[in-house]
Amino acid sequence: MSRSEPSDAPLGGSVRVATLITDALAPERRQALLTRLSPADRGRSRRFRFDADRDSFIAAHGLLDELLQEVLGCEAAMVAADHPGGKPRLRHPTHAGVDVNLSHTRGLAAAAVAIGCAVGVDCERLDRRIDDGFAEAVLAPEEAAWLRCRRGSPSEPGFLHLWTLKEAVLKADGRGLGMGLTSFAVLPNPPRMAREPVTSTGAGRWTFRQWCPTEAHVVALAVRGGGQPGPRISHWRSHE
């Protein structure tokens, strides 16, 4: 997959997504992102052992705050709270139709804000090493067959393309692993739902985007709902 960005989709619901490369954050940029974090998230950031992982965490939460301010005119630190299942939610009643999500991996942060639809975003480094047993446990039969046709190895980048799509679906659904990793199947190139979840919460079609913001990373976006013909997805350019 070449380095690219998600393209616009037809009108419906709307999604704004942003990524930020964190390998070499300028000190003033890092501080600006840090000031946007809630006290709880600042405390969580201090628990990271490595600076690179800490910077990605700070960037993801700060980026979400910037997106919310851009889209809604509010700040994440003031209105965002973690759902018991782990997905961030907006607590203010006037934002009931807004969904948010974020992800971070070493060197990259991603965040998304959706209006009128549910959203999940996930990012990974393409050099992440994957255990064979892990791959076998998390893939649906259709996904395992797709991977075998490529090379069959979970260390092959194709697995990370599958995995980020699956994670994005789990996050958009809101139940996380409670949804069941093999209860649905996704496939990349182009990213799509190969088998619909049997017990998906809520209604609406699925829309996907997947791209590589750097040669070392892949990002997946999953959106449920957004009306017909689908949600409008735009990439927000953050201040690097």
Side-chain angles (χ1 to χ4, degrees), residues 9-192:
L11 292 175
S14 64
V15 179
R16 192 74 64 89
V17 59
T19 55
L20 180 61
I21 299 168
T22 63
D23 282 331
L25 274 181
E28 59 273 16
R29 178 62 171 132
R30 182 186 184 280
Q31 183 60 34
L33 290 164
L34 181 61
T35 59
R36 289 179 172 272
L37 269 61
S38 67
D41 283 336
R42 289 189 195 185
R44 291 171 63 192
S45 74
R46 288 191 286 269
R47 299 173 194 164
F48 286 90
R49 179 179 178 184
F50 299 105
D51 290 343
D53 297 326
R54 182 181 300 108
D55 284 351
S56 296
F57 176 91
I58 291 170
H61 287 77
L63 198 58
L64 177 59
D65 189 275
E66 289 182 338
L67 269 179
L68 281 169
Q69 192 164 43
E70 172 76 16
V71 175
L72 302 176
C74 63
E75 296 179 356
M78 297 176 61
V79 301
D82 284 335
H83 185 266
K87 184 174 184 179
R89 303 285 185 182
L90 300 184
R91 69 165 64 93
H92 199 284
T94 60
H95 302 321
V98 179
D99 198 33
V100 300
N101 206 229
L102 55 80
S103 182
H104 55 90
T105 188
R106 183 168 292 192
L108 189 74
V113 175
I115 300 176
C117 45
V119 66
V121 64
D122 191 63
C123 60
E124 288 283 359
R125 288 190 62 91
L126 288 170
D127 61 359
R128 176 182 170 186
R129 308 307 296 176
I130 304 297
D131 179 79
D132 287 356
F134 174 78
E136 292 174 3
V138 302
L139 294 182
E142 301 93 327
E143 297 161 346
W146 180 90
L147 189 61
R148 282 195 300 272
C149 287
R150 293 181 63 86
R151 285 180 189 173
S153 170
S155 296
E156 199 269 338
F159 175 81
L160 277 307
H161 288 237
L162 282 171
W163 179 243
T164 51
L165 284 170
K166 287 185 78 71
E167 280 273 28
V169 169
L170 295 172
K171 292 179 174 184
D173 179 82
R175 289 174 292 168
L177 294 175
M179 183 180 178
L181 285 166
T182 59
S183 69
F184 66 98
V186 290
L187 292 175
N189 303 324
R192 61 200 185 275

